[in-house]
Each structure stands twice: as C-alpha cells, then as structure tokens.
Amino acid sequence: MTIHFRNDSDGNVHQIWAQRQMSSCAIASIWMARNQARQMTVDESEWGLAWRIYHQVVQNIPLSPPPSAPMTFAPSSRPEDNNQTTMGNMFANAGTYMNQVAQALTNDGLRVTHNTGWSIGRTVDPARLSDTTPAIILLGWYPTVVARPNRAGGHFIVASRQASSGNIVYLDPWGGVLSEINTGPVYQVTGRFEHIIYISA
C-alpha cells in the first residue's frame, strides 16, 4: 500500500491508502476508517500490522501467504476461480464481502453503529458521519443499463465526512483518490452504492 496525503475543500488532510493488489480495497478501506474512528495516523510500515489484525477476513482460506509485494495475484479469466476457496481466488477475482469487513472491525474492538443491508442504490446519510464516525461503502460496477442490472465487479471506499459545501468526502483506495460528490447512489458513472456500514471506536 502507498499512502497519499490529500486535502479536502475545507482544508482537512486525509491519509488515503492506495491499493496495489487487486481486491485489496476492503483492507485499505478498513484501515482508513479504523484510523479515522480512532483518530490515528498511518504510515507505510503499518501494512504489516494491518495484515496481522485483519487476517481474520481470510483466515479460513487455505494457503494464506504473508504480506507480499504488489500484485501478487493476477486476475484469472477462469469463471471457476471467482470464489473465496483460496486466498489467490479471493484477491485475484472474488474480493471481500461486507459481512467480512464488519466482522473484522468488530474483532478489532470497533462498533458498527448502522448497517444498511444490501440493495442497489443506497445513499450516504450525512448525519451519521463525523470526524470519528466514518462509513465504509461497498459499490458495484454496472456498465450496462438494462432491465436486469449486470454487475461487473465491486469496490470498497470510505465516506469520511460531510464538507461545508454539503458534499461527502470519499477516500478511494483505487489510486489514492479523494473526491467530493453528493450522497450517491452513483459513483464514477457506472458505480452504484450497494451496502454501507457506519462505524465508531
């Protein structure tokens, strides 16, 4: 992971973990939200600590290697690999589920104060956000607009706070990007918010 320092429109500095491994957005989002809730800073050396704390997300998956170099698992085009039966499948294809994220946070002593459940088209509740109560969002990518939406993958981001402009400050581990947009449910044209949990220390 690489840490990027980004300022929001109110001048607040945010530390954003930029993922270098496919399907590691959940761990990066957990760590950013955890540190915000606990009012802690992060540095590059904390990836090892994050791995030790949050390995429960993948602890029942066989062949779990230690923390590794960027892009250890290359995405496969084999449909039978799109599952969580191995760590390679999980981090190359299947990704992480919100219930695993919530459990990892609980195991670390944090509280999930509200869970929206899964549904396409969720929006962020600004009243639930503060400097110590961020939200983690699971969004799906829906590149085609049809009667039956065709999900082409998912992604985790953090809703950090509401800016004075009224927009929400989002921390995105894909590239370490900070963006300020409305409460959703649309994200980057094809993204749709699906599941949101709000956390506190």
Short mmCIF file of all heavy atoms in Angstrom, two decimals, residues 1-6 14-21 27-28 31-32 35 40-52 67-70 173 175-176:
data_model
loop_
_atom_site.label_atom_id
_atom_site.label_comp_id
_atom_site.label_asym_id
_atom_site.label_seq_id
_atom_site.Cartn_x
_atom_site.Cartn_y
_atom_site.Cartn_z
N MET A 1 0.85 -1.18 0.00
CA MET A 1 0.00 0.00 0.00
C MET A 1 0.89 1.25 0.00
O MET A 1 1.94 1.26 0.62
CB MET A 1 -0.90 0.04 1.22
CG MET A 1 -1.87 -1.11 1.35
SD MET A 1 -3.27 -0.92 0.25
CE MET A 1 -4.11 -2.44 0.56
N THR A 2 0.42 2.27 -0.66
CA THR A 2 1.09 3.57 -0.68
C THR A 2 0.14 4.58 -0.07
O THR A 2 -1.06 4.55 -0.35
CB THR A 2 1.42 3.98 -2.13
OG1 THR A 2 2.25 2.99 -2.71
CG2 THR A 2 2.13 5.32 -2.15
N ILE A 3 0.64 5.46 0.74
CA ILE A 3 -0.20 6.47 1.39
C ILE A 3 -0.09 7.79 0.64
O ILE A 3 1.00 8.28 0.36
CB ILE A 3 0.20 6.66 2.86
CG1 ILE A 3 -0.02 5.35 3.62
CG2 ILE A 3 -0.60 7.79 3.49
CD1 ILE A 3 0.55 5.35 5.00
N HIS A 4 -1.26 8.35 0.31
CA HIS A 4 -1.32 9.66 -0.33
C HIS A 4 -1.98 10.64 0.65
O HIS A 4 -2.99 10.32 1.25
CB HIS A 4 -2.15 9.60 -1.61
CG HIS A 4 -1.54 8.76 -2.68
ND1 HIS A 4 -0.57 9.23 -3.52
CD2 HIS A 4 -1.77 7.48 -3.04
CE1 HIS A 4 -0.22 8.27 -4.35
NE2 HIS A 4 -0.93 7.20 -4.08
N PHE A 5 -1.40 11.82 0.78
CA PHE A 5 -2.00 12.87 1.59
C PHE A 5 -2.80 13.78 0.66
O PHE A 5 -2.26 14.33 -0.29
CB PHE A 5 -0.92 13.67 2.32
CG PHE A 5 -0.22 12.88 3.39
CD1 PHE A 5 0.87 12.09 3.08
CD2 PHE A 5 -0.67 12.91 4.69
CE1 PHE A 5 1.51 11.34 4.06
CE2 PHE A 5 -0.04 12.18 5.68
CZ PHE A 5 1.05 11.39 5.37
N ARG A 6 -4.09 13.91 0.95
CA ARG A 6 -4.98 14.73 0.12
C ARG A 6 -5.75 15.69 1.01
O ARG A 6 -6.20 15.32 2.11
CB ARG A 6 -5.99 13.86 -0.63
CG ARG A 6 -5.38 12.70 -1.41
CD ARG A 6 -4.75 13.17 -2.70
NE ARG A 6 -4.41 12.02 -3.53
CZ ARG A 6 -3.33 11.94 -4.27
NH1 ARG A 6 -2.47 12.94 -4.30
NH2 ARG A 6 -3.09 10.88 -5.00
N HIS A 14 -6.30 14.26 4.62
CA HIS A 14 -6.71 12.86 4.71
C HIS A 14 -5.57 11.97 4.23
O HIS A 14 -4.91 12.29 3.24
CB HIS A 14 -7.94 12.60 3.84
CG HIS A 14 -9.13 13.40 4.25
ND1 HIS A 14 -10.09 12.92 5.11
CD2 HIS A 14 -9.50 14.67 3.94
CE1 HIS A 14 -11.01 13.84 5.30
NE2 HIS A 14 -10.67 14.92 4.60
N GLN A 15 -5.35 10.87 4.93
CA GLN A 15 -4.35 9.90 4.53
C GLN A 15 -5.09 8.75 3.83
O GLN A 15 -5.87 8.05 4.45
CB GLN A 15 -3.59 9.38 5.73
CG GLN A 15 -2.79 10.47 6.43
CD GLN A 15 -2.04 9.93 7.63
OE1 GLN A 15 -1.46 8.86 7.58
NE2 GLN A 15 -2.05 10.68 8.71
N ILE A 16 -4.82 8.59 2.55
CA ILE A 16 -5.54 7.59 1.75
C ILE A 16 -4.58 6.47 1.37
O ILE A 16 -3.53 6.72 0.78
CB ILE A 16 -6.14 8.22 0.48
CG1 ILE A 16 -7.00 9.43 0.86
CG2 ILE A 16 -6.94 7.19 -0.30
CD1 ILE A 16 -7.50 10.22 -0.31
N TRP A 17 -4.96 5.25 1.71
CA TRP A 17 -4.17 4.09 1.31
C TRP A 17 -4.51 3.74 -0.12
O TRP A 17 -5.67 3.46 -0.43
CB TRP A 17 -4.48 2.91 2.23
CG TRP A 17 -3.69 2.92 3.50
CD1 TRP A 17 -3.32 4.01 4.21
CD2 TRP A 17 -3.18 1.78 4.18
NE1 TRP A 17 -2.62 3.61 5.32
CE2 TRP A 17 -2.52 2.26 5.32
CE3 TRP A 17 -3.24 0.42 3.94
CZ2 TRP A 17 -1.91 1.39 6.23
CZ3 TRP A 17 -2.64 -0.43 4.85
CH2 TRP A 17 -1.97 0.05 5.97
N ALA A 18 -3.52 3.73 -0.99
CA ALA A 18 -3.72 3.37 -2.39
C ALA A 18 -3.36 1.89 -2.56
O ALA A 18 -2.25 1.48 -2.28
CB ALA A 18 -2.84 4.23 -3.29
N GLN A 19 -4.31 1.11 -3.01
CA GLN A 19 -4.09 -0.32 -3.17
C GLN A 19 -3.20 -0.60 -4.37
O GLN A 19 -3.27 0.08 -5.39
CB GLN A 19 -5.43 -1.06 -3.32
CG GLN A 19 -6.15 -0.76 -4.62
CD GLN A 19 -7.53 -1.38 -4.67
OE1 GLN A 19 -8.48 -0.73 -4.30
NE2 GLN A 19 -7.61 -2.61 -5.14
N ARG A 20 -2.35 -1.60 -4.22
CA ARG A 20 -1.51 -2.04 -5.33
C ARG A 20 -1.83 -3.49 -5.70
O ARG A 20 -1.35 -3.97 -6.71
CB ARG A 20 -0.04 -1.89 -4.97
CG ARG A 20 0.34 -0.42 -4.77
CD ARG A 20 1.80 -0.25 -4.49
NE ARG A 20 2.21 -0.97 -3.29
CZ ARG A 20 3.29 -0.67 -2.58
NH1 ARG A 20 4.08 0.30 -2.96
NH2 ARG A 20 3.59 -1.36 -1.51
N GLN A 21 -2.59 -4.17 -4.89
CA GLN A 21 -3.01 -5.54 -5.17
C GLN A 21 -4.49 -5.52 -5.50
O GLN A 21 -5.27 -4.87 -4.81
CB GLN A 21 -2.76 -6.42 -3.94
CG GLN A 21 -3.43 -7.78 -3.98
CD GLN A 21 -2.89 -8.64 -5.11
OE1 GLN A 21 -1.69 -8.83 -5.25
NE2 GLN A 21 -3.78 -9.15 -5.94
N ILE A 27 -9.44 -4.16 2.66
CA ILE A 27 -8.48 -4.00 3.74
C ILE A 27 -8.02 -2.55 3.83
O ILE A 27 -7.91 -1.99 4.92
CB ILE A 27 -7.30 -4.97 3.57
CG1 ILE A 27 -7.79 -6.41 3.76
CG2 ILE A 27 -6.18 -4.66 4.55
CD1 ILE A 27 -6.76 -7.47 3.50
N ALA A 28 -7.77 -1.91 2.70
CA ALA A 28 -7.36 -0.50 2.71
C ALA A 28 -8.47 0.37 3.32
O ALA A 28 -8.21 1.27 4.12
CB ALA A 28 -7.03 -0.03 1.30
N TRP A 31 -8.72 -0.10 7.08
CA TRP A 31 -7.64 0.57 7.80
C TRP A 31 -7.85 2.08 7.84
O TRP A 31 -7.63 2.72 8.87
CB TRP A 31 -6.30 0.22 7.17
CG TRP A 31 -5.14 0.47 8.08
CD1 TRP A 31 -4.18 1.42 7.94
CD2 TRP A 31 -4.83 -0.23 9.30
NE1 TRP A 31 -3.29 1.36 8.98
CE2 TRP A 31 -3.66 0.36 9.83
CE3 TRP A 31 -5.43 -1.27 9.98
CZ2 TRP A 31 -3.08 -0.08 11.02
CZ3 TRP A 31 -4.84 -1.72 11.16
CH2 TRP A 31 -3.69 -1.12 11.67
N MET A 32 -8.30 2.68 6.73
CA MET A 32 -8.55 4.13 6.73
C MET A 32 -9.67 4.48 7.69
O MET A 32 -9.57 5.44 8.46
CB MET A 32 -8.88 4.61 5.31
CG MET A 32 -7.70 4.61 4.37
SD MET A 32 -8.05 5.36 2.75
CE MET A 32 -9.15 4.16 2.01
N ASN A 35 -8.58 4.02 11.41
CA ASN A 35 -7.72 5.10 11.90
C ASN A 35 -8.48 6.41 12.07
O ASN A 35 -8.19 7.16 12.99
CB ASN A 35 -6.52 5.27 10.98
CG ASN A 35 -5.53 4.12 11.13
OD1 ASN A 35 -5.53 3.42 12.13
ND2 ASN A 35 -4.71 3.91 10.13
N MET A 40 -6.19 8.18 14.59
CA MET A 40 -4.80 7.77 14.50
C MET A 40 -4.26 8.12 13.11
O MET A 40 -5.01 8.19 12.15
CB MET A 40 -4.68 6.26 14.71
CG MET A 40 -5.16 5.81 16.08
SD MET A 40 -5.21 4.00 16.22
CE MET A 40 -3.48 3.61 16.10
N THR A 41 -2.96 8.30 13.02
CA THR A 41 -2.32 8.49 11.72
C THR A 41 -1.77 7.15 11.26
O THR A 41 -1.67 6.20 12.04
CB THR A 41 -1.19 9.52 11.80
OG1 THR A 41 -0.22 9.06 12.75
CG2 THR A 41 -1.72 10.88 12.20
N VAL A 42 -1.41 7.09 9.99
CA VAL A 42 -0.87 5.85 9.43
C VAL A 42 0.46 6.13 8.76
O VAL A 42 0.77 7.27 8.43
CB VAL A 42 -1.84 5.23 8.39
CG1 VAL A 42 -3.14 4.84 9.05
CG2 VAL A 42 -2.09 6.15 7.22
N ASP A 43 1.25 5.09 8.60
CA ASP A 43 2.47 5.21 7.81
C ASP A 43 2.70 3.91 7.06
O ASP A 43 2.02 2.91 7.30
CB ASP A 43 3.68 5.59 8.68
CG ASP A 43 4.02 4.54 9.71
OD1 ASP A 43 4.14 3.35 9.36
OD2 ASP A 43 4.17 4.90 10.89
N GLU A 44 3.63 3.93 6.15
CA GLU A 44 3.86 2.80 5.26
C GLU A 44 4.11 1.50 6.03
O GLU A 44 3.72 0.43 5.61
CB GLU A 44 5.05 3.08 4.34
CG GLU A 44 4.91 4.33 3.51
CD GLU A 44 4.14 4.12 2.22
OE1 GLU A 44 3.88 2.98 1.85
OE2 GLU A 44 3.80 5.13 1.58
N SER A 45 4.79 1.56 7.16
CA SER A 45 5.15 0.34 7.89
C SER A 45 3.96 -0.33 8.56
O SER A 45 4.09 -1.45 9.06
CB SER A 45 6.20 0.68 8.95
OG SER A 45 5.64 1.55 9.93
N GLU A 46 2.81 0.32 8.57
CA GLU A 46 1.66 -0.27 9.25
C GLU A 46 0.95 -1.34 8.44
O GLU A 46 0.03 -1.97 8.93
CB GLU A 46 0.68 0.83 9.65
CG GLU A 46 1.23 1.69 10.78
CD GLU A 46 0.22 2.69 11.29
OE1 GLU A 46 -0.73 3.01 10.56
OE2 GLU A 46 0.39 3.15 12.41
N TRP A 47 1.34 -1.56 7.18
CA TRP A 47 0.70 -2.61 6.39
C TRP A 47 0.87 -3.97 7.09
O TRP A 47 -0.07 -4.76 7.16
CB TRP A 47 1.27 -2.66 4.99
CG TRP A 47 0.71 -3.79 4.17
CD1 TRP A 47 1.42 -4.83 3.65
CD2 TRP A 47 -0.65 -4.01 3.81
NE1 TRP A 47 0.57 -5.68 2.98
CE2 TRP A 47 -0.70 -5.20 3.07
CE3 TRP A 47 -1.83 -3.32 4.06
CZ2 TRP A 47 -1.88 -5.72 2.56
CZ3 TRP A 47 -3.02 -3.84 3.54
CH2 TRP A 47 -3.03 -5.01 2.81
N GLY A 48 2.04 -4.23 7.65
CA GLY A 48 2.26 -5.48 8.38
C GLY A 48 1.33 -5.61 9.57
O GLY A 48 0.76 -6.68 9.84
N LEU A 49 1.13 -4.51 10.30
CA LEU A 49 0.22 -4.52 11.44
C LEU A 49 -1.21 -4.73 10.97
O LEU A 49 -1.97 -5.51 11.57
CB LEU A 49 0.34 -3.20 12.21
CG LEU A 49 -0.61 -3.01 13.39
CD1 LEU A 49 -0.42 -4.10 14.44
CD2 LEU A 49 -0.42 -1.62 14.01
N ALA A 50 -1.60 -4.06 9.89
CA ALA A 50 -2.95 -4.24 9.37
C ALA A 50 -3.18 -5.70 8.97
O ALA A 50 -4.25 -6.27 9.23
CB ALA A 50 -3.18 -3.33 8.16
N TRP A 51 -2.19 -6.30 8.37
CA TRP A 51 -2.30 -7.71 7.98
C TRP A 51 -2.52 -8.59 9.20
O TRP A 51 -3.37 -9.46 9.21
CB TRP A 51 -1.04 -8.13 7.22
CG TRP A 51 -1.13 -9.54 6.76
CD1 TRP A 51 -0.72 -10.66 7.43
CD2 TRP A 51 -1.71 -10.00 5.54
NE1 TRP A 51 -0.99 -11.77 6.69
CE2 TRP A 51 -1.60 -11.40 5.54
CE3 TRP A 51 -2.30 -9.36 4.46
CZ2 TRP A 51 -2.06 -12.17 4.47
CZ3 TRP A 51 -2.75 -10.14 3.42
CH2 TRP A 51 -2.63 -11.51 3.43
N ARG A 52 -1.73 -8.36 10.25
CA ARG A 52 -1.87 -9.19 11.46
C ARG A 52 -3.24 -9.03 12.10
O ARG A 52 -3.85 -9.98 12.56
CB ARG A 52 -0.77 -8.83 12.46
CG ARG A 52 0.59 -9.34 12.05
CD ARG A 52 1.60 -9.27 13.19
NE ARG A 52 1.77 -7.94 13.75
CZ ARG A 52 2.57 -7.00 13.23
NH1 ARG A 52 3.25 -7.24 12.12
NH2 ARG A 52 2.69 -5.82 13.81
N PRO A 67 2.23 -11.05 4.11
CA PRO A 67 2.11 -9.86 3.28
C PRO A 67 3.15 -9.90 2.18
O PRO A 67 4.27 -10.36 2.37
CB PRO A 67 2.39 -8.72 4.25
CG PRO A 67 2.16 -9.28 5.59
CD PRO A 67 2.41 -10.74 5.51
N SER A 68 2.76 -9.41 1.02
CA SER A 68 3.62 -9.61 -0.12
C SER A 68 3.77 -8.36 -0.97
O SER A 68 3.19 -7.33 -0.69
CB SER A 68 3.04 -10.74 -0.97
OG SER A 68 1.69 -10.44 -1.25
N ALA A 69 4.50 -8.51 -2.04
CA ALA A 69 4.75 -7.41 -2.97
C ALA A 69 3.48 -7.07 -3.73
O ALA A 69 2.54 -7.86 -3.76
CB ALA A 69 5.85 -7.82 -3.94
N PRO A 70 3.44 -5.92 -4.38
CA PRO A 70 2.25 -5.52 -5.13
C PRO A 70 1.87 -6.54 -6.20
O PRO A 70 2.73 -7.18 -6.79
CB PRO A 70 2.67 -4.20 -5.78
CG PRO A 70 3.81 -3.72 -4.98
CD PRO A 70 4.49 -4.92 -4.41
N PRO A 173 -9.36 3.88 -2.33
CA PRO A 173 -8.05 3.24 -2.40
C PRO A 173 -7.56 2.96 -3.81
O PRO A 173 -6.38 2.71 -4.01
CB PRO A 173 -8.22 1.94 -1.61
CG PRO A 173 -9.67 1.72 -1.47
CD PRO A 173 -10.34 3.04 -1.65
N GLY A 175 -6.02 4.11 -6.56
CA GLY A 175 -5.26 5.28 -6.96
C GLY A 175 -5.06 6.29 -5.85
O GLY A 175 -4.39 7.30 -6.04
N GLY A 176 -5.63 6.07 -4.66
CA GLY A 176 -5.47 7.01 -3.56
C GLY A 176 -6.14 8.34 -3.83
O GLY A 176 -5.57 9.40 -3.58
#
